[in-house]
Amino acid sequence: MARFEGKQTVPVSHFPALMANESMMGYVVRVGLLNQLSLSGTSSLVLGLNSCLEPPWIVPSNLERLSQSASGTLGTANDLLLNHTVFPVVAPFLSPQLRSRLALQMTTDLQPGRHRSKVRSNTWEGNVPAQLRWCTKCVLDDEAEHGFSYWRREHQLGICTHCPRHGCALVTGCGYCNFPRNVRTSPSLPTAQCRCGRELRALSPCSFVQGDGSALAKIHEFILSMVDCSLPLDEQDHIGATLQRRAIQLDLMTGKGVRRAVFMRLVEDCGGMPIINSTWETERAAMTWVSTVLRSGRTVASLATNVLLITTLFSSAQTFREALEQSRSMRKLGEELRKQTTERTNVSLGQTGTTRYIEKRHEKDKLISEAIRRRHASVLASNQQPVRFTRTFFLADIAGCRSIVRKLASYPLSAAAIRELSESREQFLRRLAIWLMRNDPEQRRGSALLAAVQKVVYLTMADLKPIYVELFEGGPMHLPSPS
Ligand SMILES: [Zn+2]
Ligand SMILES: [Zn+2]
């Protein structure tokens, strides 16, 4: 680190001007190309990182270092964060704490100790494969206008499968050529055709036309609006409240949750089902996310969920922004609809619910206590070598018993049966001694039998003798009282 302190020792002399919405990965690639450095050389010299960058580097780090390396010509680390990363698109939906952690992680030196709590892009994207994506039409436009192409930040968002400006599907390379698949090869800029001549792989077979009202168009138009003019980063979640308020207006909410069929019809009407299927696989999974937001009136980190909700419930990005402004000025917050429902249910059930529960518990108690006694009797009746009757013994193999272990106090009959039938060590040894004497394969009598039994049960001769007398000479059989 110390070697690269100060700009004189940094052998990177060219810091090209940043392009509009150029991603940080893309910019570092261009710095490397201009200064004839490898990706690892650039990340070490310019960013002070020990490891090579991994495309698509959606969550960059050390932007302060980059800003210093370029002697401030690129603006501050915060400028880079807001204008050249996905931060402004994802941050409005994150909690204030997570948001500031993410900003700190992107701008400052990534310390090894902080590594464990690193915020990753799957926080808002789920398991979207991390790969650089680009638009071939943008490439042609850029080459015509600037003489070169560059990597755009909005194309690197998981939910952005199409170019928000051109409506065509984004591509991810030919599948054979190296960069951006392999970080060890020399980095390159996006191209309209793969250098090897193979076709580039598109993320989707369809395309959209801006303003056609389709779900695809609305989603991408919304992303573009977030990139061009980010949503406010409020301390309070007014976005969740806005979505909930709109859902209530559209009569999407029942007392218990979301009218699934009605919501799905809205999605279907604008052709959003393929997006649901590709993002969540099942309608049910998508509805779980949607319900979580609408019932609590709070956003989730998942960008796809928020964007689906916004574009389904509002006709355009503009109408959503207007509704959000209204919520903000009214300081409107979401309400926990689910909780209210539960409370109402409890009240309506009232005494009946509680009584029914107690009745059920009594029934269960009776059944289990009877089962315990039956088990005890059947073990005694069998001629198997005795096992000590303990609480664990009864609870272990009687159906339903395990579930009451921790709340035995509420099951008095079962508790009494267990207390009554469990044996002390002495009681058990006495029972074992009787069994051994009765089942002596060598048919021994007198002191020979007692000596054989004593080897197994560890009772004194004084204890064993009366048992023998009772058993074979007909004295009264009684068990010693528990110690
Ligand atoms: Zn494009
Ligand atoms: Zn290729």
Side-chain angles (χ1 to χ4, degrees):
M1 274 296 284
R3 244 183 82 209
F4 303 122
E5 235 38 94
K7 63 180 172 160
Q8 278 84 7
T9 53
V10 175
V12 177
S13 40
H14 304 297
F15 283 95
L18 279 154
M19 305 302 290
N21 290 315
E22 184 168 24
S23 79
M24 275 294 103
M25 175 88 227
Y27 183 70
V28 173
V29 163
R30 280 206 303 128
V31 170
L33 288 172
L34 271 176
N35 293 277
Q36 296 189 307
L37 284 165
S38 67
L39 201 51
S40 59
T42 316
S43 60
S44 148
L45 292 169
V46 173
L47 295 153
L49 292 173
N50 293 325
S51 54
C52 185
L53 303 177
E54 263 181 55
W57 209 42
I58 298 220
V59 183
S61 49
N62 279 18
L63 295 184
E64 270 172 8
R65 171 80 186 217
L66 176 65
S67 161
Q68 282 162 13
S69 298
S71 325
T73 53
L74 304 176
T76 65
N78 201 48
D79 295 337
L80 295 175
L81 177 80
L82 298 180
N83 301 321
H84 297 281
T85 73
V86 299
F87 182 81
V89 181
V90 302
F93 306 109
L94 302 179
S95 68
Q97 299 96 304
L98 192 59
R99 201 186 281 164
S100 47
R101 249 178 68 200
L102 180 64
L104 195 72
Q105 188 183 315
M106 284 184 169
T107 49
T108 57
D109 195 357
L110 199 64
Q111 313 246 308
R114 235 186 263 154
H115 202 76
R116 239 184 327 165
S117 58
K118 233 174 117 175
V119 185
R120 294 170 198 279
S121 59
N122 59 12
T123 307
W124 55 85
E125 298 204 325
N127 295 320
V128 173
Q131 52 192 351
L132 273 164
R133 302 145 157 221
W134 69 97
C135 161
T136 51
K137 288 188 181 172
C138 282
V139 168
L140 294 173
D141 286 0
D142 290 341
E143 283 174 347
E145 196 178 333
H146 314 292
F148 63 90
S149 61
Y150 64 94
W151 304 95
R152 285 180 155 77
R153 60 169 164 168
E154 67 271 22
H155 292 166
Q156 317 314 329
L157 285 160
I159 188 161
C160 190
T161 52
H162 290 66
C163 176
R165 291 178 178 81
H166 292 105
C168 57
L170 298 178
V171 295
T172 59
C174 71
Y176 293 94
C177 290
N178 285 324
F179 191 81
R181 276 196 314 138
N182 188 341
V183 290
R184 281 174 227 286
T185 55
S186 46
S188 54
L189 299 178
T191 50
Q193 251 185 340
C194 194
R195 289 171 223 286
C196 69
R198 289 188 187 90
E199 217 176 302
L200 294 168
R201 287 183 181 181
L203 282 170
S204 158
C206 47
S207 54
F208 69 87
V209 178
Q210 275 195 349
D212 68 6
S214 65
L216 211 52
K218 285 171 85 180
I219 285 175
H220 288 86
E221 281 157 16
F222 180 69
I223 292 170
L224 193 60
S225 87
M226 297 255 285
V227 169
D228 290 343
C229 171
S230 59
L231 292 176
L233 297 178
D234 293 317
E235 282 297 303
Q236 305 279 358
D237 186 0
H238 298 303
I239 296 178
T242 308
L243 291 172
Q244 190 182 56
R245 201 155 53 95
R246 178 72 178 151
I248 293 169
Q249 270 174 12
L250 292 173
D251 198 23
L252 275 175
M253 308 301 291
T254 67
K256 284 179 190 162
V258 183
R259 288 186 213 277
R260 186 174 157 162
V262 183
F263 184 82
M264 278 301 156
R265 207 176 314 130
L266 288 177
V267 175
E268 253 170 66
D269 285 349
C270 55
M273 288 315 282
I275 296 163
I276 294 243
N277 294 333
S278 63
T279 313
W280 290 276
E281 284 180 5
T282 63
E283 211 180 289
R284 197 191 162 88
M287 278 314 291
T288 307
W289 284 99
V290 164
S291 307
T292 305
V293 175
L294 295 184
R295 285 203 294 208
S296 63
R298 277 193 299 238
T299 53
V300 287
S302 156
L303 185 63
T305 305
N306 295 308
V307 172
L308 175 80
L309 272 166
I310 291 170
T311 53
T312 306
L313 302 181
F314 293 91
S315 57
S316 67
Q318 192 48 40
T319 51
F320 167 69
R321 277 174 193 265
E322 284 162 12
L324 177 60
E325 266 321 304
Q326 223 173 37
S327 300
R328 294 180 75 211
S329 62
M330 287 155 54
R331 296 178 188 279
K332 179 99 180 136
L333 290 179
E335 285 167 43
E336 186 67 64
L337 294 180
R338 194 177 353 194
K339 202 170 158 194
Q340 284 178 352
T341 317
T342 339
E343 276 163 13
R344 214 176 300 138
T345 318
N346 280 350
V347 170
S348 64
L349 273 179
Q351 201 57 38
T352 348
T354 320
T355 316
R356 199 174 308 138
Y357 170 71
I358 291 173
E359 272 170 13
K360 269 191 162 175
R361 199 175 64 194
H362 284 166
E363 236 166 75
K364 189 174 173 184
D365 187 23
K366 203 165 156 248
L367 286 174
I368 290 178
S369 68
E370 281 166 4
I372 289 171
R373 286 176 193 280
R374 267 202 309 278
R375 175 96 177 109
H376 180 255
S378 76
V379 170
L380 279 187
S382 76
N383 201 31
Q384 300 276 303
Q385 177 163 348
V387 188
R388 185 172 163 192
F389 293 120
T390 57
R391 189 179 124 111
T392 319
F393 170 82
F394 292 120
L395 295 178
D397 61 357
I398 290 165
C401 232
R402 216 180 277 274
S403 65
I404 66 165
V405 176
R406 283 174 201 285
K407 27 186 184 174
L408 264 182
S410 312
Y411 293 83
L413 297 176
S414 307
I418 290 172
R419 216 171 25 244
E420 188 187 320
L421 304 177
S422 295
E423 289 173 306
S424 68
R425 186 173 173 275
E426 214 180 356
Q427 284 173 317
F428 165 66
L429 289 178
R430 194 181 149 85
R431 191 159 62 87
L432 181 60
I434 294 169
W435 183 84
L436 287 169
M437 289 178 197
R438 277 192 180 141
N439 294 278
D440 178 29
E442 291 165 44
Q443 304 285 308
R444 285 167 292 207
R445 280 286 179 271
S447 52
L449 175 60
L450 289 179
V453 170
Q454 201 180 21
K455 276 188 189 162
V456 185
V457 298
Y458 309 110
L459 285 178
T460 62
M461 214 43 112
D463 288 327
L464 285 174
K465 243 183 193 148
I467 302 171
Y468 180 86
V469 171
E470 285 160 19
L471 199 61
F472 297 107
E473 290 159 25
M477 283 290 286
H478 66 88
L479 297 171
S481 56
S483 50

